[in-house]
């Protein structure tokens, strides 16, 4: 009876894990993760901080989006190679945060709630994109060092 090694023992997988670990262990990666986590916490608490908690639908929406964003971006440091795709989820959460004052039920698009969600949404979107690009940039550099052709966008 023969046993076959699992995909986890493949050299490319080990290299990928090391590369993503290196990406998040840099000061830039750690700063992005910390700022993104704080952005998620602020988004969750923003209805009470900015003073539009009376708009219940948007307050609940921001609470859920903020918790989801903090969980997505907070988990990146512990297992980045497995949760890299979550950075793209964080980009989607940021984009939805921007447009949510006009999408949730009820009249919740007050000046305060719109400005809060647009600013926090843009910050969330940019931090998610920056974290996603961190791993992509390292992956491209590794492919170039190996002599493989690096695809262009």
């Amino acid at each position: 009876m023969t046993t076959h090694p699992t995909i986890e023992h493949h050299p490319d997988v080990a290299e990928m894990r090391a590369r993503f670990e290196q990406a998040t262990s840099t000061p830039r990666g750690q700063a992005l993760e910390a700022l993104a986590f704080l952005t998620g916490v602020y988004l969750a608490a923003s209805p009470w901080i900015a003073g539009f908690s009376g708009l219940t639908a948007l307050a609940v929406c921001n609470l859920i989006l903020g918790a989801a964003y903090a969980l997505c971006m907070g988990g990146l440091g512990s297992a980045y190679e497995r949760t890299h795709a979550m950075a793209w989820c964080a980009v989607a959460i940021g984009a939805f945060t921007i447009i949510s004052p006009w999408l949730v039920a009820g009249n919740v698009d007050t000046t305060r709630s719109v400005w809060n969600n647009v600013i926090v949404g843009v910050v969330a979107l940019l931090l998610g994109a920056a974290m996603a690009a961190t791993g992509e940039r390292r992956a491209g550099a590794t492919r170039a060092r190996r002599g493989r052709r690096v695809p262009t966008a």
Side-chain angles (χ1 to χ4, degrees):
M1 182 162 146
T2 62
T3 59
H4 298 288
T6 63
I7 190 69
E8 292 176 6
H9 295 94
H10 194 278
D12 286 342
V13 173
E15 180 185 343
M16 180 184 68
R17 285 185 178 157
R19 182 177 63 238
F20 287 134
E21 177 63 31
Q22 182 184 16
T24 56
S25 66
T26 64
R28 179 181 182 262
Q30 292 171 351
L32 284 173
E33 183 182 353
L35 288 172
F37 180 74
L38 290 174
T39 299
V41 170
Y42 174 79
L43 178 58
S46 66
W48 295 273
I49 294 171
F52 58 92
S53 60
L55 306 172
T56 325
L58 188 60
V60 170
C61 181
N62 280 14
L63 179 64
I64 293 169
L65 289 174
Y69 190 85
L71 288 173
C72 282
M73 297 302 280
L76 289 175
S78 62
Y80 186 76
E81 74 276 358
R82 291 184 298 273
T83 57
H84 176 64
M86 297 308 282
W88 290 111
C89 179
V91 170
I93 291 172
F96 186 78
T97 300
I98 295 169
I99 60 173
S100 64
W102 297 283
L103 293 180
V104 297
N107 186 17
V108 296
D109 59 340
T110 64
T111 303
R112 186 178 296 172
S113 65
V114 169
W115 276 108
N116 179 75
N117 276 35
V118 168
I119 292 169
V120 175
V122 167
V123 169
L125 192 144
L126 291 175
L127 288 170
M131 191 56 119
T134 299
E136 295 299 321
R137 185 171 336 158
R138 297 233 184 240
T142 301
R143 281 192 296 269
R145 277 195 310 268
R146 283 185 173 172
R148 292 182 184 169
R149 197 169 145 204
V150 178
T152 57

